[in-house]
């Protein structure tokens, strides 16, 4: 009886969590005039997906989001690794310095949007993908640094000491010992940075343009004078969550492998 009650509770909560996602998927597969219908399985069609890529330039927006999210992670992750390692091992700048890095995350994004726009307009980086990559990397860097600092603190110092005893330099011990052991944390930080960049809307709207619009901006543009094109929005949302689902699956497997590797070492 205890197992039955537990399974019923789990099924109920899973249904509550998955039902909105399944309903969005259902709405993306019905004609526009049936978007608000209560029928669970109406006439299914892929016209909304086709319209996104043929009339709304959603393919370009999708590619922009992938390039910007991946580029910002590649920019921020090396700096986050070295900074997090310095904070964890050498207590660089002390507690005040670490708190200052974290405090930058407390600023509301709207307070940074106007100065960033003025600066970007001066140097000519508005409406450019490298400009979005740079600002996303700067926004995510403090968060990624704090995540990685915790993982580096969990790496035993004896591993580095053993490597240096065998003739490795400090940089060699960091590169060959610390980074592989902390690989699960680095992978998790990379995925979180990708998700944050993928979902960001404000800076993409202010600093971008029609040529560099990302997926959140493209979905917001589906609100017209005739109302929200809810079927096309649902199709776009279904496609937008696909990379996040793939990344979550990848990081789940990688975390298990990385943790096992670190424990053996």
């Amino acid at each position: 009886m205890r197992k039955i009650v537990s399974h019923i509770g789990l099924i109920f909560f899973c249904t509550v969590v998955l039902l909105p996602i399944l309903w969005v998927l259902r709405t993306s597969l019905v004609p526009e005039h049936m978007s608000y219908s209560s029928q669970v399985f109406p006439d299914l069609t892929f016209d909304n997906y086709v319209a996104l890529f043929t009339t709304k330039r959603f393919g370009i927006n999708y590619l922009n989001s992938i390039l910007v999210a991946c580029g910002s992670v590649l920019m921020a992750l090396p700096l986050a690794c070295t900074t997090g390692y310095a904070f964890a091992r050498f207590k660089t700048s002390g507690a005040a310095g670490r708190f200052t890095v974290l405090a930058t995350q407390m600023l509301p994004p709207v307070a940074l949007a106007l100065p960033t726009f003025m600066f970007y307009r001066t140097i000519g980086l508005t409406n450019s993908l490298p400009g979005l990559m740079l600002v996303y990397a700067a926004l995510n860097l403090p968060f990624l640094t704090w995540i990685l600092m915790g993982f580096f603190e969990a790496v035993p110092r004896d591993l580095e000491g053993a490597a240096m005893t065998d003739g490795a330099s400090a940089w060699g011990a960091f590169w060959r010992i610390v980074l592989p052991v902390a690989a699960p944390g680095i992978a998790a930080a990379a995925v979180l940075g990708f998700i944050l960049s993928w979902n960001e809307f404000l800076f993409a709207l202010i600093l971008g343009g029609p040529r560099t619009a990302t997926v959140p901006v493209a979905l917001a543009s589906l609100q017209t004078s005739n109302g929200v094109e809810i079927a096309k929005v649902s199709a776009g949302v279904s496609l937008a969550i696909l990379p996040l689902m793939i990344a979550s699956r990848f990081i789940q497997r990688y975390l298990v492998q990385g943790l096992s590797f670190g424990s053996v070492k």
Side-chain angles (χ1 to χ4, degrees), residues 121-153:
R121 189 176 65 173
T122 302
I123 62 177
L125 278 180
T126 55
N127 196 20
S128 68
L129 294 181
L132 283 178
M133 294 178 191
L134 185 60
V135 73
Y136 286 175
L139 291 174
N140 295 337
L141 182 58
F143 179 65
L144 299 184
T145 298
W146 266 79
I147 291 178
L148 292 175
M149 182 176 64
F151 276 91
F152 287 135
E153 287 178 343

Side-chain angles (χ1 to χ4, degrees), residues 15-27 238 241 245:
T15 303
V16 171
V17 172
L18 293 177
L19 184 59
I21 300 175
L22 295 176
W23 193 258
V24 168
L25 180 62
R26 170 262 177 202
T27 306
S238 300
I241 65 176
M245 295 175 62

Side-chain angles (χ1 to χ4, degrees), residues 191-210:
V191 172
L192 289 174
F194 179 88
I195 293 173
L196 291 173
S197 299
W198 181 271
N199 292 330
E200 205 284 327
F201 172 75
L202 180 62
F203 285 92
L205 177 65
I206 295 176
L207 302 179

Side-chain angles (χ1 to χ4, degrees), residues 44-238:
L44 301 182
T45 178
F46 289 96
D47 291 344
N48 298 313
Y49 292 91
V50 174
L52 277 180
F53 288 94
T54 56
T55 63
K56 301 296 184 180
R57 302 175 71 248
F58 193 75
I60 297 176
N61 305 135
Y62 208 84
L63 180 61
N64 289 341
S65 285
I66 292 177
L67 292 176
V68 169
C70 292
S72 64
V73 170
L74 291 177
M75 287 182 181
L77 201 57
L79 292 174
C81 285
T82 52
T83 307
Y85 180 74
F87 283 160
R89 279 291 183 266
F90 309 112
K91 309 300 180 183
T92 304
S93 71
R98 286 180 286 178
F99 177 77
T100 301
V101 171
L102 183 63
T104 58
Q105 294 291 99
M106 302 178 186
L107 292 172
V110 68
L112 302 173
L114 183 57
T116 304
F117 173 76
M118 298 297 293
F119 177 69
Y120 267 40
R121 189 176 65 173
T122 302
I123 62 177
L125 278 180
T126 55
N127 196 20
S128 68
L129 294 181
L132 283 178
M133 294 178 191
L134 185 60
V135 73
Y136 286 175
L139 291 174
N140 295 337
L141 182 58
F143 179 65
L144 299 184
T145 298
W146 266 79
I147 291 178
L148 292 175
M149 182 176 64
F151 276 91
F152 287 135
E153 287 178 343
V155 177
R157 292 177 179 268
D158 294 341
L159 295 178
E160 298 170 72
M164 292 181 184
T165 301
D166 290 338
S169 62
W171 172 255
F174 172 72
W175 180 259
R176 298 178 183 178
I177 303 298
V178 177
L179 289 183
V181 174
I186 297 173
V191 172
L192 289 174
F194 179 88
I195 293 173
L196 291 173
S197 299
W198 181 271
N199 292 330
E200 205 284 327
F201 172 75
L202 180 62
F203 285 92
L205 177 65
I206 295 176
L207 302 179
R211 184 173 56 86
T212 59
T214 58
V215 169
V217 176
L219 294 178
S221 67
L222 294 177
Q223 182 175 355
T224 65
S225 57
N226 296 325
V228 179
E229 301 179 63
I230 190 64
K232 294 183 179 62
V233 170
S234 299
V237 170
S238 300

Side-chain angles (χ1 to χ4, degrees), residues 8-18:
I8 292 176
L10 290 173
I11 292 172
F12 172 76
F13 285 109
C14 288
T15 303
V16 171
V17 172
L18 293 177

